[in-house]
Amino acid sequence: MDFGRVWTAMVTPFNTEGKLDLEATAELVDHLISTGTEALVVAGTTGESPTLSLSEKEELFRFVLEHTKKRVPVVLGTGSNDTATSVETSILAEKLGADGVMAVVPYYNRPSQLGMHAHFTEIAQAISLPVMLYNVPHRTSAHMLPETVISLSKESNITALKEASGDLEHFAAVIDQTDDSFFVYSGDDSMTLPSLSIGAAGVVSVASHVIGNQMQDLIAAFFAGEVERASQIHRALLPKMKALFIAPNPVCVKHMLKEIGVDVGPTRLPLIGISAEEEALLKSIFA
């Protein structure tokens, strides 16, 4: 799963009736590829995956894969809080020709570490595609510990982790105790540079929807050994990264995409649009 340094956790475009907007999806994919995105993650958290039916996911998966035409790898979000559904969706992703799948720690159920291990093992053993684990405890109310990730990395096709706990000790333990063929990516834009400094491979980004080229500049500077320049870029981008989360994700990033001429429509309920105060703050920061 060495698919580059800047992946984008892509929003899902909807029309005003709340249905998939494939025309806007094509425009969005082209925009992302032209502004620094090296891999697409479809139907993850930012893609409002819990609101998508399996038939909608299949339609979206199929369209993105066909439209992308192998220009960048496409990783499909197949995880849910139900193991059987996650396996079914992962098998579908493989049939459609995905480059990999991303599976989130089961939310709401709050499984034990052994339960998480069994869940991800079932997914991995059902397919031959590479699997990215996704740890995001503030959304799932379940934190996958480093020992569980390290054990799961022994499965031949569990090859990456999107880590969104913000815990650098967690990053360090996983990076230190897994093979070089296992890649750890930051799941938080604001943790990009700190995570790179201890060995992360890159970022699965939300901010790259609107500052993708700048994210590339930041990471390129770091890997070129220009650490001071990388830190300057990171500090300059940090207010924008933070501003995109003043309302529940992906409310702000969808708003900012429209502001730059890439209209991906509204979010689905229970998410609503930004307030006047939030809009004013975004305008001031992205002016």
Side-chain angles (χ1 to χ4, degrees):
M1 256 192 176
D2 186 11
F3 293 161
R5 296 167 177 169
V6 177
W7 301 22
T8 296
M10 194 179 85
V11 302
T12 299
F14 300 120
N15 61 24
T16 53
E17 297 175 346
K19 297 180 179 179
L20 291 177
D21 188 336
L22 298 182
E23 183 177 341
T25 301
E27 182 182 0
L28 174 62
V29 167
D30 294 341
H31 161 74
L32 292 174
I33 293 173
S34 69
T35 55
T37 291
E38 296 173 88
L40 295 171
V41 178
V42 180
T45 302
T46 306
E48 300 176 72
S49 58
T51 74
L52 297 171
S53 67
L54 184 56
S55 62
E56 286 178 319
K57 287 181 181 179
E58 180 173 359
E59 184 180 10
L60 180 64
F61 291 172
R62 192 183 301 275
F63 181 83
V64 172
L65 287 164
E66 290 175 354
H67 184 75
T68 304
K69 294 183 172 66
K70 299 293 183 181
R71 287 177 287 169
V72 297
V74 177
V75 176
L76 302 181
T78 60
S80 72
N81 68 332
D82 171 48
T83 303
T85 299
S86 301
V87 168
E88 180 185 2
T89 311
S90 299
I91 292 171
L92 171 65
E94 183 160 40
K95 288 180 178 177
L96 293 176
D99 296 287
V101 302
M102 183 183 75
V104 68
V105 169
Y107 43 86
Y108 188 76
N109 306 22
R110 301 184 70 185
S112 67
Q113 297 300 308
L114 288 176
M116 293 179 201
H117 195 286
H119 172 82
F120 289 116
T121 300
E122 287 276 329
I123 294 171
Q125 293 182 351
I127 59 176
S128 61
L129 290 175
V131 177
M132 168 178 269
L133 310 173
Y134 178 20
N135 188 41
V136 55
H138 67 280
R139 282 188 176 269
T140 63
S141 295
H143 181 35
M144 184 163 53
L145 298 177
E147 308 89 80
T148 304
V149 177
I150 293 161
S151 179
L152 284 166
S153 74
K154 308 303 181 186
E155 286 286 333
S156 61
N157 61 330
I158 296 182
T159 59
L161 168 69
K162 177 184 176 183
E163 180 55 50
S165 67
D167 186 341
L168 287 177
E169 290 185 15
H170 185 118
F171 273 94
V174 172
I175 292 167
D176 186 54
Q177 297 179 57
T178 53
D179 293 341
D180 290 343
S181 58
F182 188 85
F183 297 91
V184 179
Y185 288 82
S186 174
D188 295 309
D189 287 296
S190 62
M191 294 294 291
T192 300
L193 186 56
S195 63
L196 290 177
S197 72
I198 57 170
V203 60
V204 181
S205 175
V206 174
S208 55
H209 282 90
V210 290
I211 54 171
N213 287 326
Q214 294 97 315
M215 295 294 291
Q216 278 287 359
D217 289 345
L218 160 62
I219 295 175
F222 175 82
F223 280 106
E226 300 171 7
V227 178
E228 179 55 33
R229 180 168 177 268
S231 65
Q232 289 172 351
I233 298 171
H234 185 89
R235 292 194 301 271
L237 295 180
L238 197 56
K240 294 179 180 180
M241 295 172 180
K242 292 290 191 181
L244 291 173
F245 292 89
I246 58 173
N249 188 44
V251 171
C252 292
V253 73
K254 281 194 162 185
H255 176 82
M256 288 308 305
L257 280 166
K258 185 176 181 179
E259 289 291 302
I260 65 171
V262 185
D263 191 350
V264 294
T267 52
R268 278 181 168 173
L269 287 172
L271 297 182
I272 60 172
I274 62 174
S275 68
E277 293 81 4
E278 290 164 343
E279 182 177 7
L281 179 58
L282 283 171
K283 282 186 175 181
S284 69
I285 291 174
F286 281 90

